[in-house]
Amino acid sequence: MSLSLSQIPVAILAGGLATRLRPITEKIPKSLVPVAGRPFLAHQLEMLHARGIRHVVLCIGFLGEMIQREFGNEAFGIKLEYSFDGEKLLGTGGAIKRALPKLGTEFFILYGDSYLPLQYAPIAESFHRSGKLGLMTVYHNEGKYDASNVVFRDGEIVVYDKKAKLPEMRHIDYGLSMFKASVFEAYAADQVFDLAEVMGKLVREKQLAGYEVPERFYEMGSPSGLAELEKLLAPKHVGMTKHE
């Protein structure tokens, strides 16, 4: 059976305060920070459409209304929906819990500052084959692009911890995951919790599949990452400067 990615939504976590990018993010949310002449979210959505994704739910908080005004209900051939944190920031896990009615039974989760040059279909297929409740993509990082936080052995995630720094941690959470909605049922509505907590629990229950990605990741959540991504996405030729 061929897998249709058009049926699987992507939740983009775009509700944080983006303190590392201040003063840029004091007046605009991180998703609207210009990269190579366009809001970063435009680059994300364009890539998602090229990979076959047709439905995105944006989990937004701080200055989120600006994103909704800028992008509306459809952009780059992708249907857009919005889930607001509300009065308080709910954390990455709490934001997903709130968005569940828009996400259906299974979905991808992508960080709002990640630019990931990878194919989504093999990841969804791997997730379905695993029979597990969640999947984390990992990259053999060796501490190069950020602190490694995963022990990945024989195709399995053995340890995931963002705080403990173990010498055998050679991989890093790549920034894309996939879940069945039932994972979030145990958490209360409006409960503040982090996605890392959910993943750690699934690792302990042997319910988090691992998928190793060969290509490095890019991010624009830090000034150095933003500068690097600017170089990557800058138009290479005069003929490629057309803005959507």
Side-chain angles (χ1 to χ4, degrees):
M1 185 184 81
S2 67
L3 183 76
S4 173
L5 286 181
S6 63
Q7 305 300 311
I8 305 175
V10 175
I12 297 183
L13 292 164
L17 297 174
T19 51
R20 288 186 299 168
L21 286 180
R22 284 184 182 164
I24 307 171
T25 48
E26 281 171 3
K27 296 204 166 89
I28 59 169
K30 190 157 50 174
S31 292
L32 295 186
V33 169
V35 180
R38 294 194 297 170
F40 176 63
L41 182 58
H43 295 286
Q44 273 190 319
L45 294 175
E46 197 170 43
M47 178 182 274
L48 288 173
H49 184 271
R51 300 303 191 262
I53 299 295
R54 296 294 180 266
H55 181 197
V56 163
V57 177
L58 284 145
C59 299
I60 50 182
F62 180 66
L63 301 177
E65 299 86 354
M66 294 178 72
I67 301 173
Q68 194 170 15
R69 275 201 305 274
E70 179 85 16
F71 284 89
N73 298 324
E74 188 181 335
F76 300 95
I78 293 177
K79 175 191 172 190
L80 299 178
E81 291 190 88
Y82 299 86
S83 176
F84 283 85
D85 264 11
E87 293 298 305
K88 60 178 181 182
L89 291 177
L90 296 171
T92 49
I96 293 296
K97 171 75 180 182
R98 175 162 285 201
L100 284 183
K102 300 176 193 297
L103 289 169
T105 56
E106 63 176 24
F107 45 86
F108 290 103
I109 299 178
L110 175 65
Y111 293 112
D113 56 9
S114 292
Y115 189 79
L116 308 178
L118 80 170
Q119 294 297 332
Y120 280 58
I123 294 164
E125 283 157 11
S126 179
F127 175 59
H128 290 153
R129 275 198 310 273
S130 77
K132 297 192 176 183
L133 295 174
L135 176 145
M136 177 197 287
T137 54
V138 297
Y139 174 71
H140 192 251
N141 177 58
E142 295 283 1
K144 184 172 182 184
Y145 297 111
D146 205 338
S148 296
N149 53 26
V150 175
V151 179
F152 183 69
R153 226 174 4 238
D154 304 322
E156 294 283 325
I157 292 171
V158 184
V159 182
Y160 171 60
D161 197 317
K162 287 165 105 173
K163 297 190 178 84
K165 303 290 176 234
L166 307 176
E168 60 268 42
M169 285 177 168
R170 307 196 190 290
H171 288 74
I172 190 169
D173 171 8
Y174 185 76
L176 178 74
S177 50
M178 195 168 177
F179 290 95
K180 292 197 179 298
S182 58
V183 169
F184 295 87
E185 280 168 8
Y187 298 89
D190 291 335
Q191 183 178 342
V192 178
F193 64 102
D194 200 52
L195 204 50
E197 185 188 318
V198 178
M199 289 175 168
K201 182 172 180 283
L202 290 182
V203 171
R204 292 190 294 278
E205 294 168 353
K206 302 206 179 319
Q207 280 294 331
L208 189 68
Y211 184 95
E212 188 166 13
V213 178
E215 305 94 347
R216 63 156 293 190
F217 58 89
Y218 295 87
E219 53 80 25
M220 48 75 72
S222 64
S224 59
L226 183 58
E228 193 175 40
L229 197 54
E230 182 81 37
K231 264 190 231 164
L232 178 79
L233 296 176
K236 304 290 188 293
H237 308 289
V238 175
M240 292 172 64
T241 56
K242 181 166 99 54
H243 294 274
E244 294 295 330

